[in-house]
Amino acid sequence: MELKISDHINYISEEMNLLISLADPEGYPAVLAQCRKKLEKTIDSPALFHRFDVVENIIKEGRRMLKKDMDLIKKYFRPYSNDYLCLANVVLLFTRWDWEETADTLEAYVRRQTPQERNYRFISMNLEQFNDDSDISFDHTVTMKQISSWLDDCPLSPEDKWQLFSAFIQWDKHIGPIVQLMKKAEKVLEKTKEQWLPLIHDFYTYWSRQCREKDVLGDIRTFFHIDLHTGSDKSILIAPNMIFMNAITFSVTEDNRPPAYDYYSIGILYGEELYLDFNIKASSEKEMSDNLQFLKLLSDKSKLEIMMSIKDEPAYGAQLARKMNLTTATISYHMGALIQNGLVSLKKVNNRLYYSVNRDKVKNILSNLEDLLL
Protein backbone atom coordinates (compact mmCIF):
# COMPACT_ATOMS: atom_id res chain seq x y z
CA MET A 1 0.00 0.00 0.00
CA GLU A 2 1.46 3.33 -1.08
CA LEU A 3 0.81 6.73 0.49
CA LYS A 4 0.46 9.60 -1.96
CA ILE A 5 0.29 13.28 -1.06
CA SER A 6 -1.87 15.65 -3.09
CA ASP A 7 -0.44 19.03 -4.05
CA HIS A 8 -3.79 20.61 -4.96
CA ILE A 9 -7.23 21.26 -3.53
CA ASN A 10 -10.43 19.67 -4.73
CA TYR A 11 -12.28 22.65 -6.18
CA ILE A 12 -15.76 21.13 -6.17
CA SER A 13 -15.42 20.12 -2.52
CA GLU A 14 -14.00 23.51 -1.49
CA GLU A 15 -16.74 25.40 -3.32
CA MET A 16 -19.37 23.39 -1.48
CA ASN A 17 -17.61 23.94 1.85
CA LEU A 18 -17.43 27.69 1.26
CA LEU A 19 -21.12 27.92 0.37
CA ILE A 20 -22.09 25.79 3.39
CA SER A 21 -20.12 28.10 5.68
CA LEU A 22 -21.84 31.15 4.14
CA ALA A 23 -25.26 29.54 4.60
CA ASP A 24 -24.61 28.86 8.26
CA PRO A 25 -22.70 31.86 9.70
CA GLU A 26 -23.43 30.73 13.25
CA GLY A 27 -22.04 27.29 12.42
CA TYR A 28 -18.60 26.82 10.91
CA PRO A 29 -17.34 30.44 11.01
CA ALA A 30 -18.32 30.60 14.68
CA VAL A 31 -16.53 27.32 15.38
CA LEU A 32 -13.46 28.65 13.55
CA ALA A 33 -13.43 31.76 15.75
CA GLN A 34 -13.82 29.68 18.91
CA CYS A 35 -11.01 27.36 17.88
CA ARG A 36 -8.70 30.30 17.21
CA LYS A 37 -9.53 31.97 20.50
CA LYS A 38 -8.72 28.81 22.42
CA LEU A 39 -5.46 28.17 20.59
CA GLU A 40 -4.27 31.74 21.07
CA LYS A 41 -4.16 31.06 24.81
CA THR A 42 -1.95 27.99 24.50
CA ILE A 43 0.12 28.25 21.30
CA ASP A 44 2.46 30.98 20.10
CA SER A 45 2.65 30.38 16.36
CA PRO A 46 2.39 33.19 13.79
CA ALA A 47 2.29 30.60 11.00
CA LEU A 48 -0.70 28.86 12.55
CA PHE A 49 -2.71 32.05 12.96
CA HIS A 50 -1.80 33.16 9.45
CA ARG A 51 -3.64 30.04 8.31
CA PHE A 52 -6.69 31.10 10.30
CA ASP A 53 -6.45 34.54 8.68
CA VAL A 54 -6.42 33.06 5.20
CA VAL A 55 -9.51 30.91 5.74
CA GLU A 56 -11.34 33.79 7.46
CA ASN A 57 -10.45 36.03 4.49
CA ILE A 58 -11.82 33.48 2.01
CA ILE A 59 -15.13 33.35 3.90
CA LYS A 60 -15.23 37.14 4.23
CA GLU A 61 -14.58 37.58 0.50
CA GLY A 62 -17.26 35.01 -0.27
CA ARG A 63 -19.74 36.88 1.89
CA ARG A 64 -18.94 40.08 -0.01
CA MET A 65 -18.99 38.66 -3.55
CA LEU A 66 -22.11 36.53 -3.04
CA LYS A 67 -24.09 39.00 -0.96
CA LYS A 68 -26.96 39.13 -3.46
CA ASP A 69 -27.20 35.34 -3.59
CA MET A 70 -27.66 34.67 0.12
CA ASP A 71 -31.28 33.55 -0.15
CA LEU A 72 -30.38 30.89 -2.74
CA ILE A 73 -27.27 29.90 -0.79
CA LYS A 74 -29.33 29.34 2.35
CA LYS A 75 -31.88 27.32 0.38
CA TYR A 76 -29.37 24.94 -1.16
CA PHE A 77 -26.39 24.92 1.22
CA ARG A 78 -27.95 25.29 4.67
CA PRO A 79 -26.81 22.18 6.55
CA TYR A 80 -29.51 20.00 8.03
CA SER A 81 -29.64 19.56 11.77
CA ASN A 82 -27.67 16.34 12.07
CA ASP A 83 -24.83 16.81 9.59
CA TYR A 84 -23.21 18.96 6.91
CA LEU A 85 -25.59 17.26 4.49
CA CYS A 86 -27.47 19.92 2.56
CA LEU A 87 -29.89 20.06 -0.36
CA ALA A 88 -27.12 20.85 -2.85
CA ASN A 89 -25.14 17.79 -1.80
CA VAL A 90 -28.17 15.59 -2.40
CA VAL A 91 -28.74 17.13 -5.84
CA LEU A 92 -25.09 16.82 -6.87
CA LEU A 93 -24.52 13.50 -5.06
CA PHE A 94 -20.90 14.54 -4.81
CA THR A 95 -18.81 11.90 -3.07
CA ARG A 96 -15.41 12.61 -1.63
CA TRP A 97 -13.53 10.15 -3.76
CA ASP A 98 -14.04 12.26 -6.89
CA TRP A 99 -10.67 13.81 -6.15
CA GLU A 100 -9.68 14.47 -9.72
CA GLU A 101 -12.83 16.54 -10.30
CA THR A 102 -12.06 20.25 -10.48
CA ALA A 103 -14.21 23.33 -10.91
CA ASP A 104 -13.64 23.58 -14.65
CA THR A 105 -15.18 20.11 -15.10
CA LEU A 106 -18.25 20.76 -12.96
CA GLU A 107 -20.69 20.67 -15.89
CA ALA A 108 -19.09 17.48 -17.20
CA TYR A 109 -19.46 15.99 -13.74
CA VAL A 110 -23.16 16.89 -13.73
CA ARG A 111 -23.79 15.72 -17.29
CA ARG A 112 -22.21 12.37 -16.49
CA GLN A 113 -24.88 11.68 -13.87
CA THR A 114 -27.09 9.30 -15.77
CA PRO A 115 -29.91 7.70 -13.73
CA GLN A 116 -27.65 4.67 -13.26
CA GLU A 117 -24.79 6.86 -12.07
CA ARG A 118 -27.06 8.75 -9.69
CA ASN A 119 -28.38 5.50 -8.25
CA TYR A 120 -24.84 4.31 -7.62
CA ARG A 121 -23.82 7.62 -6.01
CA PHE A 122 -26.92 7.57 -3.84
CA ILE A 123 -25.95 4.14 -2.57
CA SER A 124 -22.30 5.07 -2.07
CA MET A 125 -23.04 8.11 0.14
CA ASN A 126 -23.91 8.14 3.82
CA LEU A 127 -27.31 9.18 2.54
CA GLU A 128 -28.08 5.54 1.82
CA GLN A 129 -28.61 4.60 5.46
CA PHE A 130 -31.85 2.79 4.64
CA ASN A 131 -29.79 0.07 2.97
CA ASP A 132 -26.57 -1.36 4.40
CA ASP A 133 -26.34 -4.46 2.22
CA SER A 134 -22.87 -5.28 0.97
CA ASP A 135 -24.07 -7.07 -2.16
CA ILE A 136 -25.43 -3.95 -3.92
CA SER A 137 -24.33 -3.81 -7.54
CA PHE A 138 -23.81 -0.79 -9.75
CA ASP A 139 -27.01 -1.70 -11.59
CA HIS A 140 -29.13 -1.51 -8.43
CA THR A 141 -32.10 0.84 -8.81
CA VAL A 142 -33.07 3.18 -6.01
CA THR A 143 -36.84 3.59 -6.09
CA MET A 144 -38.99 6.48 -4.92
CA LYS A 145 -40.51 4.10 -2.38
CA GLN A 146 -37.09 3.44 -0.86
CA ILE A 147 -36.30 7.14 -0.73
CA SER A 148 -39.65 7.87 0.91
CA SER A 149 -39.03 5.11 3.44
CA TRP A 150 -35.60 6.50 4.26
CA LEU A 151 -36.98 10.02 4.64
CA ASP A 152 -39.70 8.79 7.00
CA ASP A 153 -36.98 7.60 9.37
CA CYS A 154 -34.83 10.73 9.11
CA PRO A 155 -34.68 12.99 12.19
CA LEU A 156 -35.50 16.04 10.04
CA SER A 157 -38.35 18.52 9.89
CA PRO A 158 -41.22 17.89 7.41
CA GLU A 159 -40.04 20.89 5.37
CA ASP A 160 -36.50 19.50 5.11
CA LYS A 161 -37.82 16.07 4.15
CA TRP A 162 -39.91 17.56 1.37
CA GLN A 163 -36.88 19.48 0.08
CA LEU A 164 -34.85 16.28 -0.04
CA PHE A 165 -37.64 14.41 -1.82
CA SER A 166 -37.93 17.21 -4.39
CA ALA A 167 -34.21 16.78 -5.15
CA PHE A 168 -35.05 13.38 -6.65
CA ILE A 169 -38.36 14.10 -8.38
CA GLN A 170 -37.38 17.57 -9.72
CA TRP A 171 -33.64 17.21 -10.23
CA ASP A 172 -33.51 19.41 -13.36
CA LYS A 173 -35.17 22.27 -11.50
CA HIS A 174 -32.44 22.40 -8.85
CA ILE A 175 -29.21 21.61 -10.66
CA GLY A 176 -28.97 24.90 -12.64
CA PRO A 177 -29.00 27.31 -9.66
CA ILE A 178 -26.57 25.10 -7.72
CA VAL A 179 -24.04 25.01 -10.56
CA GLN A 180 -24.24 28.80 -10.93
CA LEU A 181 -23.63 29.32 -7.21
CA MET A 182 -20.63 27.00 -7.32
CA LYS A 183 -19.19 28.89 -10.29
CA LYS A 184 -19.41 32.08 -8.24
CA ALA A 185 -17.72 30.31 -5.34
CA GLU A 186 -14.96 29.29 -7.75
CA LYS A 187 -14.36 32.99 -8.50
CA VAL A 188 -13.94 33.59 -4.77
CA LEU A 189 -11.31 30.85 -4.59
CA GLU A 190 -9.49 32.20 -7.63
CA LYS A 191 -9.51 35.74 -6.25
CA THR A 192 -7.96 34.58 -2.96
CA LYS A 193 -5.58 32.07 -4.57
CA GLU A 194 -2.42 34.03 -3.79
CA GLN A 195 -3.32 33.73 -0.11
CA TRP A 196 -4.14 30.02 0.11
CA LEU A 197 -1.81 28.47 -2.46
CA PRO A 198 1.26 28.71 -0.17
CA LEU A 199 -0.70 26.80 2.50
CA ILE A 200 -1.27 23.92 0.10
CA HIS A 201 2.42 23.94 -0.77
CA ASP A 202 3.27 23.81 2.95
CA PHE A 203 0.81 20.91 3.36
CA TYR A 204 2.47 18.95 0.57
CA THR A 205 5.97 19.62 1.90
CA TYR A 206 5.06 18.72 5.48
CA TRP A 207 3.23 15.47 4.68
CA SER A 208 5.83 14.35 2.15
CA ARG A 209 8.42 14.63 4.92
CA GLN A 210 6.16 12.89 7.47
CA CYS A 211 5.60 9.95 5.13
CA ARG A 212 9.32 9.57 4.51
CA GLU A 213 10.28 9.69 8.19
CA LYS A 214 7.35 8.18 10.11
CA ASP A 215 4.72 5.45 10.10
CA VAL A 216 1.85 7.84 9.39
CA LEU A 217 -0.77 5.12 8.93
CA GLY A 218 0.20 3.49 12.20
CA ASP A 219 0.12 6.81 14.04
CA ILE A 220 -3.31 7.70 12.66
CA ARG A 221 -4.56 4.31 13.80
CA THR A 222 -3.09 4.87 17.27
CA PHE A 223 -4.16 8.45 17.81
CA PHE A 224 -7.41 8.68 15.82
CA HIS A 225 -8.55 5.06 16.16
CA ILE A 226 -9.07 4.61 12.42
CA ASP A 227 -7.49 1.50 10.95
CA LEU A 228 -6.35 2.42 7.45
CA HIS A 229 -4.67 -0.94 6.89
CA THR A 230 -7.73 -2.34 5.14
CA GLY A 231 -5.97 -4.83 2.89
CA SER A 232 -6.57 -2.61 -0.12
CA ASP A 233 -4.03 -2.87 -2.92
CA LYS A 234 -4.75 0.71 -3.98
CA SER A 235 -2.82 3.77 -2.91
CA ILE A 236 -4.05 6.03 -0.13
CA LEU A 237 -4.17 9.70 -1.03
CA ILE A 238 -3.64 12.22 1.76
CA ALA A 239 -5.18 15.44 0.55
CA PRO A 240 -5.72 18.93 2.00
CA ASN A 241 -9.00 20.36 3.20
CA MET A 242 -8.97 24.13 3.20
CA ILE A 243 -12.29 25.68 4.23
CA PHE A 244 -13.11 22.94 6.77
CA MET A 245 -9.81 22.63 8.59
CA ASN A 246 -8.61 19.93 10.96
CA ALA A 247 -10.91 17.25 9.61
CA ILE A 248 -10.09 13.66 8.82
CA THR A 249 -12.62 12.17 6.42
CA PHE A 250 -12.68 9.03 4.34
CA SER A 251 -15.02 6.97 2.21
CA VAL A 252 -15.26 3.20 1.78
CA THR A 253 -14.85 1.95 -1.75
CA GLU A 254 -17.03 -0.62 -3.49
CA ASP A 255 -15.26 -3.60 -5.05
CA ASN A 256 -17.41 -3.45 -8.17
CA ARG A 257 -16.72 0.26 -8.78
CA PRO A 258 -13.35 1.15 -7.22
CA PRO A 259 -11.99 4.69 -7.46
CA ALA A 260 -8.34 5.38 -8.11
CA TYR A 261 -7.61 5.76 -4.41
CA ASP A 262 -8.84 4.94 -0.97
CA TYR A 263 -9.65 8.54 -0.08
CA TYR A 264 -8.63 10.40 3.06
CA SER A 265 -8.33 14.12 3.62
CA ILE A 266 -6.54 15.98 6.38
CA GLY A 267 -7.09 19.65 7.16
CA ILE A 268 -4.34 22.14 6.36
CA LEU A 269 -3.96 23.17 10.00
CA TYR A 270 -2.31 19.87 10.80
CA GLY A 271 1.40 20.39 10.93
CA GLU A 272 4.26 21.26 13.21
CA GLU A 273 2.14 23.45 15.50
CA LEU A 274 -0.49 20.86 16.34
CA TYR A 275 -0.62 17.28 17.50
CA LEU A 276 -0.26 15.31 14.31
CA ASP A 277 3.45 15.07 15.04
CA PHE A 278 2.18 12.41 17.45
CA ASN A 279 4.69 13.23 20.15
CA ILE A 280 2.87 15.93 22.12
CA LYS A 281 0.90 14.57 25.07
CA ALA A 282 -2.53 15.96 25.77
CA SER A 283 -2.54 18.77 28.32
CA SER A 284 -4.47 18.55 31.57
CA GLU A 285 -7.01 20.91 30.03
CA LYS A 286 -7.47 18.52 27.11
CA GLU A 287 -7.88 15.60 29.50
CA MET A 288 -10.52 17.49 31.46
CA SER A 289 -12.34 18.30 28.23
CA ASP A 290 -12.26 14.60 27.23
CA ASN A 291 -13.60 13.61 30.65
CA LEU A 292 -16.50 16.05 30.45
CA GLN A 293 -17.36 15.06 26.89
CA PHE A 294 -17.27 11.37 27.84
CA LEU A 295 -19.73 11.93 30.68
CA LYS A 296 -21.95 14.07 28.48
CA LEU A 297 -22.08 11.52 25.65
CA LEU A 298 -22.80 8.53 27.86
CA SER A 299 -25.50 10.39 29.77
CA ASP A 300 -27.52 9.86 26.58
CA LYS A 301 -29.31 6.51 26.94
CA SER A 302 -29.07 5.57 23.25
CA LYS A 303 -25.34 6.23 23.05
CA LEU A 304 -24.70 4.25 26.21
CA GLU A 305 -26.75 1.32 24.89
CA ILE A 306 -24.83 1.43 21.60
CA MET A 307 -21.53 1.24 23.48
CA MET A 308 -22.86 -1.68 25.51
CA SER A 309 -24.01 -3.46 22.33
CA ILE A 310 -20.56 -3.37 20.71
CA LYS A 311 -18.60 -3.98 23.91
CA ASP A 312 -17.96 -7.67 23.23
CA GLU A 313 -18.35 -7.97 19.48
CA PRO A 314 -18.04 -5.43 16.61
CA ALA A 315 -21.15 -4.74 14.51
CA TYR A 316 -21.98 -2.85 11.32
CA GLY A 317 -24.72 -0.24 11.02
CA ALA A 318 -27.70 -2.28 9.81
CA GLN A 319 -26.82 -5.18 12.11
CA LEU A 320 -26.72 -2.85 15.11
CA ALA A 321 -29.96 -1.16 14.03
CA ARG A 322 -31.78 -4.50 13.92
CA LYS A 323 -30.35 -5.53 17.26
CA MET A 324 -31.42 -2.30 18.96
CA ASN A 325 -34.67 -1.83 16.99
CA LEU A 326 -33.52 1.56 15.69
CA THR A 327 -33.15 2.95 12.18
CA THR A 328 -29.71 2.93 10.61
CA ALA A 329 -30.01 6.72 10.29
CA THR A 330 -30.41 6.96 14.07
CA ILE A 331 -27.43 4.65 14.63
CA SER A 332 -25.35 6.75 12.24
CA TYR A 333 -26.37 9.95 14.04
CA HIS A 334 -25.23 8.66 17.44
CA MET A 335 -22.12 7.00 16.04
CA GLY A 336 -20.94 10.31 14.58
CA ALA A 337 -20.42 11.81 18.04
CA LEU A 338 -18.94 8.61 19.51
CA ILE A 339 -16.42 8.26 16.67
CA GLN A 340 -15.54 11.95 16.67
CA ASN A 341 -14.62 11.69 20.35
CA GLY A 342 -12.63 8.50 19.90
CA LEU A 343 -14.91 6.23 21.94
CA VAL A 344 -15.70 4.00 18.96
CA SER A 345 -13.24 2.58 16.42
CA LEU A 346 -13.92 1.73 12.77
CA LYS A 347 -12.63 -1.14 10.71
CA LYS A 348 -13.51 -2.10 7.16
CA VAL A 349 -14.23 -5.81 6.58
CA ASN A 350 -15.59 -6.99 3.22
CA ASN A 351 -16.99 -3.60 2.24
CA ARG A 352 -18.65 -3.03 5.62
CA LEU A 353 -17.62 -0.64 8.34
CA TYR A 354 -17.65 -2.37 11.71
CA TYR A 355 -17.98 -0.40 14.94
CA SER A 356 -16.26 -1.47 18.15
CA VAL A 357 -15.56 0.11 21.53
CA ASN A 358 -12.16 1.79 21.64
CA ARG A 359 -11.13 0.10 24.86
CA ASP A 360 -7.85 1.99 25.26
CA LYS A 361 -9.59 5.37 25.05
CA VAL A 362 -12.38 4.38 27.44
CA LYS A 363 -9.93 2.84 29.94
CA ASN A 364 -7.77 5.97 29.82
CA ILE A 365 -10.73 8.27 30.55
CA LEU A 366 -12.02 6.01 33.33
CA SER A 367 -8.53 6.02 34.84
CA ASN A 368 -8.43 9.82 34.70
CA LEU A 369 -11.83 10.02 36.38
CA GLU A 370 -10.68 7.59 39.05
CA ASP A 371 -7.62 9.76 39.77
CA LEU A 372 -9.78 12.85 39.98
CA LEU A 373 -12.60 11.45 42.10
CA LEU A 374 -11.20 8.63 44.23
Side-chain angles (χ1 to χ4, degrees):
M1 178 181 292
E2 181 184 2
L3 269 174
K4 296 186 177 182
I5 314 300
S6 173
D7 61 355
H8 65 280
I9 65 169
N10 182 324
Y11 268 83
I12 295 179
S13 179
E14 295 295 351
E15 290 162 18
M16 293 192 70
N17 293 340
L18 173 58
L19 290 164
I20 288 171
S21 67
L22 294 179
D24 186 28
E26 300 303 318
Y28 181 71
V31 170
L32 188 69
Q34 292 168 8
C35 178
R36 177 170 188 160
K37 186 177 180 180
K38 185 174 182 179
L39 287 175
E40 284 176 337
K41 297 178 180 179
T42 57
I43 298 177
D44 180 18
S45 173
L48 172 62
F49 297 114
H50 171 65
R51 297 179 185 189
F52 274 106
D53 289 337
V54 170
V55 176
E56 289 170 354
N57 287 343
I58 294 171
I59 295 174
K60 186 183 299 182
E61 186 64 26
R63 193 175 292 121
R64 187 188 68 79
M65 292 179 63
L66 283 78
K67 183 177 180 180
K68 296 180 179 179
D69 298 296
M70 288 309 300
D71 287 342
L72 269 182
I73 291 173
K74 289 178 181 177
K75 174 181 178 180
Y76 286 112
F77 292 90
R78 173 183 62 84
Y80 294 120
S81 57
N82 65 331
D83 205 342
Y84 275 103
L85 175 68
C86 59
L87 181 60
N89 210 351
V90 177
V91 173
L92 284 175
L93 289 180
F94 176 73
T95 54
R96 294 278 186 165
W97 47 259
D98 287 288
W99 187 254
E100 298 306 321
E101 300 291 350
T102 54
D104 58 347
T105 63
L106 181 57
E107 284 91 341
Y109 169 83
V110 171
R111 284 197 300 270
R112 195 176 67 239
Q113 289 194 40
T114 63
Q116 186 184 39
E117 175 79 6
R118 285 179 55 75
N119 287 336
Y120 176 77
R121 289 178 179 274
F122 181 79
I123 293 168
S124 67
M125 288 177 68
N126 265 347
L127 188 63
E128 93 296 9
Q129 294 296 337
F130 66 85
N131 195 331
D132 195 33
D133 295 335
S134 62
D135 58 352
I136 296 174
S137 69
F138 179 76
D139 296 325
H140 182 80
T141 299
V142 178
T143 66
M144 288 295 109
K145 182 178 179 181
Q146 287 175 307
I147 294 170
S148 297
S149 175
W150 175 77
L151 287 173
D152 285 341
D153 291 334
C154 276
L156 299 176
S157 69
E159 180 183 358
D160 289 342
K161 291 181 180 182
W162 172 246
Q163 274 197 335
L164 284 171
F165 190 71
S166 73
F168 292 95
I169 62 175
Q170 296 179 310
W171 185 80
D172 292 336
K173 174 183 175 182
H174 296 294
I175 191 63
I178 291 172
V179 169
Q180 291 305 311
L181 287 173
M182 292 184 69
K183 283 185 174 181
K184 292 182 179 181
E186 177 193 358
K187 292 180 180 178
V188 176
L189 293 176
E190 288 302 310
K191 186 169 183 179
T192 56
K193 191 170 186 176
E194 288 186 5
Q195 298 181 52
W196 58 258
L197 196 58
L199 301 185
I200 306 304
H201 174 74
D202 290 346
F203 173 94
Y204 178 78
T205 301
Y206 171 79
W207 280 104
S208 296
R209 186 176 71 251
Q210 290 288 91
C211 290
R212 287 195 304 269
E213 299 174 356
K214 300 184 180 182
D215 179 13
V216 172
L217 296 183
D219 287 338
I220 290 177
R221 182 179 68 248
T222 299
F223 281 81
F224 295 95
H225 321 294
I226 301 173
D227 185 2
L228 308 189
H229 296 281
T230 61
S232 170
D233 58 358
K234 295 182 291 296
S235 299
I236 289 180
L237 177 69
I238 298 182
N241 287 332
M242 188 166 64
I243 305 298
F244 292 163
M245 299 181 293
N246 273 6
I248 292 184
T249 57
F250 61 96
S251 63
V252 178
T253 62
E254 299 288 344
D255 285 344
N256 62 326
R257 180 72 186 277
Y261 301 95
D262 281 341
Y263 176 80
Y264 304 85
S265 68
I266 300 180
I268 60 172
L269 276 186
Y270 284 129
E272 304 292 354
E273 300 88 352
L274 294 184
Y275 54 85
L276 240 125
D277 259 337
F278 308 116
N279 57 9
I280 303 175
K281 291 185 178 180
S283 65
S284 58
E285 182 180 350
K286 174 70 164 55
E287 289 179 352
M288 179 61 75
S289 175
D290 286 348
N291 294 339
L292 292 172
Q293 188 64 14
F294 175 81
L295 294 171
K296 179 181 178 181
L297 287 171
L298 297 191
S299 68
D300 180 277
K301 182 173 180 288
S302 295
K303 291 182 177 65
L304 178 59
E305 289 178 343
I306 286 173
M307 293 285 286
M308 293 166 60
S309 295
I310 57 176
K311 175 172 66 75
D312 297 320
E313 184 177 1
Y316 59 89
Q319 182 183 23
L320 195 55
R322 289 192 293 269
K323 181 178 179 181
M324 298 184 63
N325 196 27
L326 296 172
T327 66
T328 49
T330 300
I331 294 292
S332 178
Y333 172 75
H334 289 299
M335 278 298 183
L338 295 172
I339 293 168
Q340 182 180 355
N341 288 277
L343 303 183
V344 169
S345 300
L346 297 174
K347 188 171 184 179
K348 179 186 173 186
V349 180
N350 297 329
N351 284 331
R352 280 181 172 151
L353 276 179
Y354 280 80
Y355 305 110
S356 60
V357 171
N358 180 4
R359 293 177 176 273
D360 291 339
K361 176 79 171 184
V362 173
K363 286 180 180 178
N364 184 53
I365 293 176
L366 290 176
S367 176
N368 289 338
L369 288 171
E370 184 177 7
D371 291 341
L372 288 170
L373 300 174
L374 299 177

